[in-house]
Amino acid sequence: MGPWGFPLLLLVLLSCCASASTQAVATPAVATPAVATPAAATPAAATPAVATPAAATPVAATPALATPAAATPALATPAVATPAVATPTMTKEDLNSTEATPATLKPSSSSPRTPGTPRAPELSGPRPTPVTDVAALCVCDLLPAQCDVNCCCDPDCSTMDFSVFSACSVPVVTGDGQFCSQKAAVYWMNLTADPPHRVFRLTDQINPSVFCVHISNYKPALSFATPEVPNENNFDRLMQASGGFTPSVESDVPSTAPSDAPQPTKYEYGVPLQTAGASSGSFLSLPSPLTSSLCTDENPAAFLVSQAFECSRRVDMEECEGMEALSMAHYSSPAILRVPNSTTQVSIKIQSVMYRSLNHTLTRLEGHGVLRPSLVSAGQDRLCSNVVLEVKYSLLYMAAGQIREASLSLVLGTFSSTVTLLQQKFEIHFIQHRGKPVPLSGNPGYRVGLPLAAGFQPQKGSGIIQTANRQGQFTVLRSAGAQDCLASEGLRDPVLFGYNVQSGCQLRLTGAIPCGLLAQKIQDLLRGQAFPDYVAAFGNSWAQDVQDWVPVRYITHSSNVKGPCQLPVALGIEVKWTKYGSLLNPQARIVNVTAQLFSIPEPPPGPERTVVVSTTVTFVDVSAPAEAGFRSPPTINARLPFSFFFPFV
């Protein structure tokens, strides 16, 4: 019999169950050496496990068993048990307490400290307080002071923002799932309401696991150990403990000194256009539809990214005069910065204002200044006039990446009280100052002997970027008289429509050159400096119309002979085109472009090796023969007189 009147075998079985359950629910946040103390080995900690049923769970929940050391068979060797003074003393009231503890707590400075554990760090500054309220937790809130799309727990989102959400990206937010009972914040969208709105509910979740944590006795183990911050008192001690500084190893601690990096002096492609405002993060807004057809005003206009959107906006007749999105001044008042982070401003000039009546007739307004929305009465109906229906920005930029001028064209209109969704259009395009027009290669179809129009798409959804030199948009290797690839490096010939080309050169190798470096060098010779991703289908295709551009299919062929390295030696470009339009005036249209790169094994080593590099361009006419068309034969509607065969019939 044990010292408390229980058989020794029963005590061993109960203690083993408590140790196993501790491994299942132990909180891995314990980083201090004090957690290695096998509290289950002390008789004082084993008493609550058999005293009352409620105390059996807290023993399993004691975070002091978080490390594998707690799972060692300490019960099999009682002689090695730690003295009772090494474990924080727990009273009977503490063990029988049923007060729920939050899943994340800051270590308490008044809790007892086990010998051998580091003392509480001395904070040199304010630390962020751990968030324990699940209603305040939001893992999808990534944009500061802005509403994240479909983030239903984002405190920066307004009721209008919630109305355009399609779903909640994080529907349930919970705390520590190891507790038997915990709070859960549940979010969902009521899409059947008008307008749709977010629904929030705080519920209690029950953990059905047998090894769930009912209460927590050791509160400091619920948080990660706060690192000790160096200060003037403990700097020497921390430096000795870390072994000093190593000059050859860079510190992982980010520097807090102000950055000496130069500020950008020009706009680059895709950079949002900055506007003058109270905050440094003000950008020119171009409303666009996001997850639905409703307008979202947080879309920034980007440099050299021409865009056009059409979206709907919820309107209320009573709020007509107060809605900024309907006001003409909202779009004409921002001042664009000439370059990023500068003080030079470019004001937006109103170029034209058109007024659309209820019967869709347009009238040009002259000398009316900035008009504001106003409510007017028309009989029994009420109208809201001078509202913005269409916005068109035209920005004149310089080759150095600076905004020179900005103009605005508006279309105003009127809507009645029966309208709840107002259609608006927004557009922005860029014009280069003193830019020379790029000559076309045909209008509309290609003309034989003119270069192919080609370019690349920097990102999906944007327009095609082309160089001003039409002769350099799609080029191939030029054949020189010396047939030396290194001597003719950089010399390229444009791909002309309808001209089949074959060119090449020889690359003489002396000495040992790494195969990988050689393969990259030959590939650069074949492809050129900027190999295009798209080719225009017609000779006059606009860069904004991506549908009129044909993607270049790039295929790599390896040699059948296996080798440690493959060298690309030939580039074959095949352009398929067809006749488009009328038989009397057919237009050449490109329908497919394929670039095939052929490789061979690396030649055997030798004092001097020669690699022949070649390029071919082939145009293939894939026009389907036109079907001969004839008029239908005429029908003869001849009728004989009624008495023609009289008197025989």
Side-chain angles (χ1 to χ4, degrees):
M1 298 294 288
W4 293 279
F6 290 91
L8 182 59
L9 180 60
L10 180 59
L11 286 176
V12 172
L13 290 176
L14 291 176
S15 300
C16 290
C17 292
S19 177
S21 62
T22 301
Q23 288 182 333
V25 299
T27 305
V30 182
T32 58
V35 298
T37 305
T42 59
T47 304
V50 297
T52 58
T57 305
V59 173
T62 303
L65 304 178
T67 59
T72 54
L75 294 174
T77 58
V80 196
T82 308
V85 294
T87 305
T89 306
M90 294 178 290
T91 63
K92 188 174 183 180
E93 290 77 4
D94 294 335
L95 294 174
N96 293 333
S97 175
T98 58
E99 182 182 356
T101 306
T104 307
L105 291 176
K106 190 175 181 180
S108 176
S109 59
S110 60
S111 58
R113 184 171 62 91
T114 307
T117 60
R119 64 183 60 189
E122 300 175 3
L123 301 180
S124 61
R127 291 276 177 164
T129 305
V131 180
T132 59
D133 185 9
V134 293
L137 291 173
C138 192
V139 296
C140 57
D141 184 9
L142 304 179
L143 299 176
Q146 295 184 24
C147 179
D148 294 76
V149 180
N150 287 344
C151 183
C152 296
C153 56
D154 192 346
D156 300 321
C157 296
S158 62
T159 305
M160 184 174 295
D161 296 330
F162 289 135
S163 63
V164 299
F165 284 8
S166 60
C168 293
S169 57
V170 180
V172 181
V173 180
T174 60
D176 194 345
Q178 299 177 355
F179 284 88
C180 299
S181 177
Q182 60 174 331
K183 293 290 184 180
V186 183
Y187 304 89
W188 74 90
M189 291 297 302
N190 185 2
L191 301 178
T192 59
D194 188 18
H197 60 273
R198 182 205 66 172
V199 182
F200 165 71
R201 187 175 63 185
L202 196 62
T203 61
D204 291 329
Q205 281 193 352
I206 305 301
N207 187 0
S209 176
V210 180
F211 303 107
C212 64
V213 179
H214 183 61
I215 60 174
S216 176
N217 298 327
Y218 189 56
K219 295 182 179 180
L222 295 178
S223 299
F224 288 98
T226 306
E228 191 171 1
V229 180
N231 52 36
E232 57 182 4
N233 299 325
N234 59 4
F235 180 80
D236 295 336
R237 177 174 55 83
L238 293 178
M239 185 175 178
Q240 294 178 358
S242 61
F245 296 103
T246 304
S248 60
V249 180
E250 296 183 358
S251 175
D252 294 335
V253 180
S255 175
T256 58
S259 176
D260 295 334
Q263 297 293 336
T265 58
K266 65 177 182 177
Y267 282 107
E268 296 181 355
Y269 177 85
V271 175
L273 299 176
Q274 297 183 10
T275 58
S279 60
S280 59
S282 301
F283 302 102
L284 181 64
S285 174
L286 190 70
S288 64
L290 194 59
T291 57
S292 64
S293 61
L294 297 179
C295 296
T296 303
D297 297 328
E298 301 299 331
N299 177 46
F303 184 65
L304 294 184
V305 180
S306 299
Q307 304 178 75
F309 301 107
E310 184 174 357
C311 56
S312 304
R313 192 179 298 277
R314 297 184 184 274
V315 293
D316 188 1
M317 186 62 64
E318 303 299 332
E319 301 178 357
C320 165
E321 298 179 347
M323 293 186 62
E324 291 186 352
L326 305 181
S327 176
M328 179 178 171
H330 177 66
Y331 303 99
S332 60
S333 59
I336 305 175
L337 301 185
R338 185 178 298 275
V339 294
N341 304 319
S342 68
T343 57
T344 308
Q345 303 177 7
V346 178
S347 59
I348 299 177
K349 300 179 181 179
I350 300 178
Q351 186 175 13
S352 65
V353 179
M354 305 293 292
Y355 197 90
R356 181 187 299 169
S357 62
L358 291 177
N359 56 0
H360 299 282
T361 59
L362 291 176
T363 305
R364 186 180 181 91
L365 301 180
E366 298 289 349
H368 287 279
V370 178
L371 302 178
R372 298 186 179 276
S374 59
L375 285 174
V376 294
S377 299
Q380 297 181 354
D381 196 6
R382 303 179 66 189
L383 303 177
C384 183
S385 61
N386 300 333
V387 298
V388 175
L389 300 180
E390 295 184 12
V391 178
K392 184 177 181 180
Y393 290 105
S394 298
L395 273 68
L396 188 66
Y397 71 96
M398 304 177 65
Q402 300 177 357
I403 302 297
R404 180 179 177 85
E405 294 179 3
S407 59
L408 174 65
S409 301
L410 296 169
V411 175
L412 306 182
T414 304
F415 69 90
S416 60
S417 58
T418 58
V419 177
T420 57
L421 288 177
L422 182 66
Q423 297 291 331
Q424 290 182 313
K425 295 182 179 179
F426 303 93
E427 183 179 350
I428 184 173
H429 66 274
F430 296 83
I431 303 174
Q432 185 174 357
H433 177 61
R434 295 181 179 177
K436 297 181 180 180
V438 179
L440 302 178
S441 296
N443 191 15
Y446 278 98
R447 294 180 56 185
V448 177
L450 294 182
L452 298 187
F456 62 94
Q457 188 179 27
Q459 60 185 7
K460 186 177 181 181
S462 64
I464 304 299
I465 302 299
Q466 300 175 262
T467 61
N469 181 17
R470 179 58 65 94
Q471 301 290 332
Q473 293 182 2
F474 200 168
T475 60
V476 294
L477 184 65
R478 175 184 295 182
S479 294
Q483 295 294 317
D484 189 358
C485 293
L486 297 179
S488 61
E489 183 180 4
L491 301 178
R492 313 282 294 181
D493 286 330
V495 178
L496 305 180
F497 181 80
Y499 282 70
N500 295 335
V501 178
Q502 182 175 2
S503 61
C505 61
Q506 294 182 356
L507 186 64
R508 296 176 178 85
L509 309 176
T510 58
I513 301 178
C515 181
L517 181 61
L518 182 60
Q520 185 63 38
K521 183 65 176 180
I522 298 177
Q523 186 172 349
D524 293 340
L525 286 173
L526 293 173
R527 291 169 55 94
Q529 185 177 4
F531 194 80
D533 298 331
Y534 286 84
V535 173
F538 295 98
N540 65 344
S541 297
W542 287 17
Q544 300 92 313
D545 300 333
V546 185
Q547 301 298 332
D548 282 348
W549 292 75
V550 179
V552 178
R553 297 178 53 205
Y554 197 81
I555 303 175
T556 303
H557 298 279
S558 300
S559 174
N560 296 329
V561 180
K562 302 299 181 181
C565 182
Q566 299 281 334
L567 294 180
V569 294
L571 177 63
I573 301 174
E574 184 184 56
V575 181
K576 296 181 179 180
W577 65 280
T578 180
K579 296 176 181 178
Y580 180 81
S582 172
L583 292 176
L584 300 178
N585 186 22
Q587 303 295 318
R589 175 187 180 185
I590 295 178
V591 295
N592 183 270
V593 179
T594 304
Q596 305 183 55
L597 187 66
F598 299 90
S599 302
I600 63 172
E602 182 184 10
E608 183 175 352
R609 297 171 292 172
T610 302
V611 177
V612 179
V613 181
S614 63
T615 303
T616 59
V617 179
T618 307
F619 287 86
V620 181
D621 185 2
V622 294
S623 302
E627 298 181 0
F630 300 97
R631 289 185 177 182
S632 59
T635 58
I636 302 176
N637 296 327
R639 293 185 179 183
L640 298 176
F642 180 76
S643 59
F644 183 79
F645 293 101
F646 181 81
F648 304 103
V649 177

